[in-house]
């Protein structure tokens, strides 16, 4: 997110904003995809 360009700080920091949650979860999803794409395995116990 580019504060002041894509979105104002007031909106980004609002108590109703979900942006920081979306960023946090997006990073976790990208890490999981990269792990699996590079040969990582998910066993039944890890799910």
């Amino acid at each position: 997110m580019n504060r002041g360009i894509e979105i104002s700080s007031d909106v980004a920091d609002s108590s109703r904003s979900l942006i920081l949650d979306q960023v946090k979860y997006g990073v976790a999803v990208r890490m999981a995809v990269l792990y699996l794409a590079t040969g990582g395995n998910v066993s039944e116990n890890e799910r």
Side-chain angles (χ1 to χ4, degrees), residues 11-26:
V11 172
D13 296 330
S14 165
S15 63
R16 296 175 59 191
S17 175
L18 298 175
I19 294 168
L20 296 179
D21 289 335
Q22 291 173 331
V23 170
K24 176 175 66 176
Y25 297 131

Side-chain angles (χ1 to χ4, degrees), residues 32-43 46:
V33 169
L34 287 171
Y35 173 77
L36 294 173
T38 58
N41 294 317
V42 176
S43 70
E46 292 176 345

